[in-house]
Amino acid sequence: MEAKKLTDKEEEVMQQVWQRGPLTIRQMLEGYEDPKPHFNTISTFVHILEEKGYLNREKCGNALVYSPAISIEEYRSATAKGLVKRLFNNSAMSLVSSFVKDQEISVEELREIIDMVERQKL
């Protein structure tokens, strides 16, 4: 599954639901620091996320409760694959090489990645 791209604000809303579980819009607002966004703003993002297939909604009494339709792990995986495809010519090696070149990854972290890959092959 290639994840439909999310804006930073849409990701903020999803982070609320991924971290805190099913929420109403009012409960989502409680997770924001002051100055909190307006209710209608969050409501708009929630509806967009529903349309994109990221949120499910369920009627619970008089309230609508929103839960993730995709796990954060699935989102990370799909987003990473899309990034590698778009920016690194579908080469994970090119991605890792750019981190090595920019000294964003240590030798120890590279060893951990190699160990992880080798364990996956067993």
Side-chain angles (χ1 to χ4, degrees):
M1 167 198 168
E2 180 148 350
K4 293 180 184 173
K5 191 167 178 155
L6 298 182
T7 66
D8 290 344
K9 297 296 182 186
E10 291 167 350
E11 275 189 12
E12 281 179 23
V13 171
M14 286 305 300
Q15 287 295 338
Q16 292 275 336
V17 180
W18 281 323
Q19 291 170 8
R20 298 173 55 214
L23 300 168
T24 65
I25 292 173
R26 291 212 187 284
Q27 290 170 326
M28 288 178 204
L29 279 169
E30 292 168 6
Y32 284 87
E33 294 181 11
D34 289 330
K36 295 183 186 303
H38 192 274
F39 180 93
N40 290 342
T41 302
I42 299 304
S43 179
T44 298
F45 288 129
V46 165
H47 294 297
I48 291 168
L49 289 164
E50 269 189 286
E51 288 175 11
K52 287 183 174 182
Y54 283 91
L55 287 177
N56 294 320
R57 85 173 150 187
E58 184 179 330
K59 186 108 167 123
C60 200
N62 289 335
L64 291 174
V65 178
Y66 297 90
S67 60
I70 177 176
S71 72
I72 192 166
E73 292 80 14
E74 291 169 314
Y75 177 69
R76 285 178 182 156
S77 177
T79 301
K81 287 176 185 173
L83 176 79
V84 170
K85 183 178 179 181
R86 283 189 316 278
L87 299 179
F88 295 95
N89 200 27
N90 223 15
S91 168
M93 179 70 173
S94 294
L95 170 68
V96 173
S97 295
S98 75
F99 283 124
V100 169
K101 234 185 281 184
D102 296 339
Q103 297 178 341
E104 297 289 333
I105 192 167
S106 69
V107 171
E108 186 56 39
E109 288 170 318
L110 283 170
R111 285 189 182 113
E112 287 178 33
I113 291 170
I114 291 167
D115 289 345
M116 194 179 351
V117 170
E118 288 175 344
R119 282 192 305 270
Q120 291 286 325
K121 289 184 178 183
L122 298 176

